[in-house]
Amino acid sequence: MLRYAKYAVPYILKAPRRSPVKSLAGLALSYILFLLGAIFLLIAAFIWVATHYGTDTAFLSLGTIFLISAAIFMMIAKDKRYVKPPLPDNVAQDPLAAHIPASVRENPTVQKLLLHVSENPVAATATAVTLGMLISNEFFEEKK
């Protein structure tokens, strides 16, 4: 029975996953391309203003644009505050969550884990029992 449980653990624990490497690489590529496009637009704007109105006006106008955009970004960044999401009702009333300290429960990773356990109680119980059997068999098995 224990041999079959050892083979079943990977299938129980297997969950659909997104590839974080691909999403991070795509995000980095989009930021790099955005930055490169902004640099080329600023160079083109500087050259156009410098040829039509002079170099002094080009530096003055682009410097003013940079200062105004920086002030806007600072106001936007200062406005956002991190608000802890409240626990869902099914997690807050979970008997397992009642034994976990509040400081640990506020961790987003623990909240996701508790939510997963409350949504799939049978799979979570089967996984816990199987892992418990494997650990107890490894530690308490009598060696001959």
Side-chain angles (χ1 to χ4, degrees):
M1 177 72 179
L2 194 55
R3 287 183 185 167
Y4 297 118
K6 286 181 183 179
Y7 294 118
V9 169
Y11 295 107
I12 293 172
L13 294 176
K14 197 170 193 176
R17 297 181 186 143
R18 289 183 244 161
S19 174
V21 174
K22 287 182 182 178
S23 61
L24 186 61
L27 187 65
L29 181 65
S30 65
Y31 278 129
I32 289 170
L33 291 176
F34 179 76
L35 182 65
L36 193 61
I39 288 172
F40 282 136
L41 281 174
L42 289 172
I43 290 171
F46 181 82
I47 291 172
W48 185 82
V49 171
T51 57
H52 284 67
Y53 300 106
T55 309
D56 300 345
T57 309
F59 275 114
L60 182 65
S61 62
L62 287 178
T64 305
I65 290 172
F66 281 146
L67 283 175
I68 291 172
S69 62
I72 290 171
F73 285 137
M74 283 178 57
M75 285 191 284
I76 290 172
K78 206 182 268 187
D79 229 4
K80 292 186 180 180
R81 294 183 186 117
Y82 178 72
V83 178
K84 293 180 183 176
L87 285 173
D89 291 334
N90 56 355
V91 174
Q93 298 171 354
D94 187 19
L96 176 65
H99 297 291
I100 298 174
S103 60
V104 176
R105 256 192 317 227
E106 292 174 0
N107 188 340
T109 306
V110 174
Q111 286 182 0
K112 288 179 186 177
L113 182 64
L114 288 174
L115 185 64
H116 181 70
V117 167
S118 65
E119 287 176 354
N120 304 315
V122 175
T125 304
T127 304
V129 167
T130 306
L131 289 175
M133 286 184 351
L134 290 173
I135 291 171
S136 66
N137 189 26
E138 290 296 321
F139 284 126
F140 300 117
E141 183 178 311
E142 293 182 15
K143 308 278 187 202
K144 292 185 181 184

